[in-house]
Each structure stands twice: as structure tokens, then as C-alpha cells.
Amino acid sequence: MALPLVTAFINFGLGAALGVAGGLLGIGGGLIAIPVLGYLYGMDQHLAQGTALVMIAPNVLLGFWRYHQRNRIDLRSAASIAVFSMVTTYLAARLATGIDAGHLRIAFAVFLILLALYFGRRPKGTTGTVDAPAKPMPRAALPVLGVFSGAMSGIFTVGGGLIVVPALVSLFGEKQTRAQGMGLALAAPGALIALVAYAQGGHVDWRVGLPMAVGGVLSVSWGVALAHRFSPARLRMCFSVVLLGTAVMMLVAGR
């Protein structure tokens, strides 16, 4: 009896730590959770991604709400992108469950490295000030962002926000924290849909995921508050370092 309680407490603490990191970086903690679950429990890529989604889904919902309280997020644009993203997410998630786990892990690591290198560049045309108004996005860009973010969410479970955040900062000059809030708004429906798809495929360990989800929900708000104390440049640097570190962990774990 004691061992399951200890394990649940460890998973709760892990979820709490990942919740802070997820709130800080606007990724719901799932990006870091996937390689950690592989290390701690020997989960393959499919099971790690599916189990991480149990924590990601509530974390991104709460994280988005906290970001929205502090930033003027364009909810209409977010909803438009989400419509295209949700359909693509489910189809991509069903496809991902049939991909070899080793190949999926390597593809995820390469994706993170490329994204970190791109995101680490200093964005042009953004001041990073708190009072900068949100710039409207061209309507033609909304379906494109939706399809790409949905595809990444379905395949990698956390890729949608990782696509949207650098796109908003680099292409539309959005403030980093506002872009992270928008990324969470888009990640929320995608995370729920991907969780359903992975659960249908039997790739979810609820005994591990549920305590992590509780810990994450209780701590994600702290991470959001911390994000607003960081300068945009420092926040971008942290984001890039986490992406690269996660990619290295996944590549090393696959040896």
C-alpha cells in the first residue's frame, strides 16, 4: 500500500515541477515530461506522449486562462486557427500511433533542434513592451497556422504551440508572453483530441498521468507569473535552451 502512495506522490511532485516549467514557457509541461517519462519508467515514445497528454490537457487550459488575464489575446483569431487545427490533430494523432516509436523519437528530436535554432534568432519588428497592441493576422494565414499546428500536435502531442509561438513572434511581431498565451489557446483543444486518439490506441498510463496532472494544475499559475517577470530576450533564450536540452535527452535515451 505504501509503495503506490509513494509513487503517486513522486508523480505529483514531478507534475508540479513540470507545471511551473510549462507555465513559464507556455508549453504545458509536456515537452519536458515526454523524455522524463522515458527515463523514469522506460516508456516508449508512444506511451510517453500519451501519458504526458493527461497532464498537458488541463495545464494548457489553465495556463491559457492565466495568460489571457495578463495579455490582450486575439480570441477570434485563436478560434479560427483552432477550427483547422482540431481536425488535423486527430488525423495526425491516429497516424502517429502507427509510426515506429524509435523513428518518432528521432523525428521529434530533429524537429525540436530545428525549432530551437530558428526561435533563438532575435525577432525583427517587435519591441517586447507590455503595452504593445496585438497585431491582427492576415486571414489567409489562419488556416495555414491551424493545419501546421494541428499536424504537429497530433504527431508530437506538443508541437502545435511550438509552431505557433515562434511564428507569431517572428512573423507578426507579437510580444513573447502574448504569443505563448495564443499558443496555449490553440494547444488546449488539440491536447484533448490527441489524448482521445492516444487513449484509443492504448498508449496512456493513467496511474502515472493523473497524479502528474493534479500537480501541474496546482503549479502552472506560478510559472505564468514568473514568465511575466522575464524580459522577452531571456524568455526566448530559456525556450530555446529547453528545446535543445529536450532534443539531446531524447537522442541519448534512444541509444
Side-chain angles (χ1 to χ4, degrees):
M1 182 66 180
L3 184 58
L5 288 176
V6 171
T7 302
F9 181 77
I10 293 174
N11 291 331
F12 171 84
L14 177 62
L18 293 172
V20 173
L24 171 64
L25 303 175
I27 53 177
L31 176 66
I32 309 171
I34 293 170
V36 168
L37 289 174
Y39 271 118
L40 292 181
Y41 298 107
M43 296 182 179
D44 63 25
Q45 187 69 13
H46 290 132
L47 187 58
Q49 291 187 180
T51 303
L53 280 167
V54 180
M55 181 191 70
I56 294 170
N59 276 12
V60 294
L61 285 169
L62 181 57
F64 157 69
W65 176 247
R66 294 304 188 192
Y67 271 96
H68 184 55
Q69 289 178 323
R70 294 169 175 265
N71 300 273
R72 297 184 295 275
I73 297 173
D74 187 350
L75 297 180
R76 182 174 298 180
S77 294
S80 299
I81 298 173
V83 169
F84 294 94
S85 176
M86 286 188 291
V87 176
T88 312
T89 295
Y90 182 78
L91 296 175
R94 296 293 292 177
L95 175 65
T97 58
I99 300 175
D100 177 78
H103 294 161
L104 186 62
R105 183 185 62 252
I106 294 173
F108 195 6
V110 172
F111 166 70
L112 294 179
I113 291 171
L114 294 175
L115 196 60
L117 294 176
Y118 173 78
F119 194 72
R121 300 166 54 195
R122 184 177 183 85
K124 298 178 181 180
T126 179
T127 62
T129 59
V130 174
D131 297 325
K135 294 184 178 181
M137 289 179 286
R139 290 187 177 275
L142 302 183
V144 176
L145 281 176
V147 170
F148 271 98
S149 66
M152 295 301 100
S153 291
I155 295 174
F156 300 130
T157 72
V158 295
L162 298 180
I163 287 288
V164 170
V165 172
L168 292 177
V169 173
S170 301
L171 301 179
F172 301 104
E174 282 283 14
K175 184 162 63 79
Q176 178 70 24
T177 50
R178 187 184 294 123
Q180 291 185 182
M182 176 73 83
L184 287 172
L186 300 177
L192 293 171
I193 292 171
L195 176 58
V196 171
Y198 273 80
Q200 289 177 342
H203 299 298
V204 175
D205 188 333
W206 297 97
R207 293 173 300 177
V208 175
L210 288 175
M212 289 177 61
V214 174
V217 165
L218 294 177
S219 66
V220 67
S221 297
W222 299 344
V224 175
L226 183 61
H228 288 81
R229 297 182 180 180
F230 279 34
S231 68
R234 187 179 181 186
L235 203 53
R236 287 196 306 272
M237 181 60 66
C238 289
F239 199 96
S240 297
V241 169
V242 169
L243 293 180
L244 288 173
T246 303
V248 170
M249 287 175 63
M250 298 184 76
L251 291 174
V252 171
R255 291 185 176 181

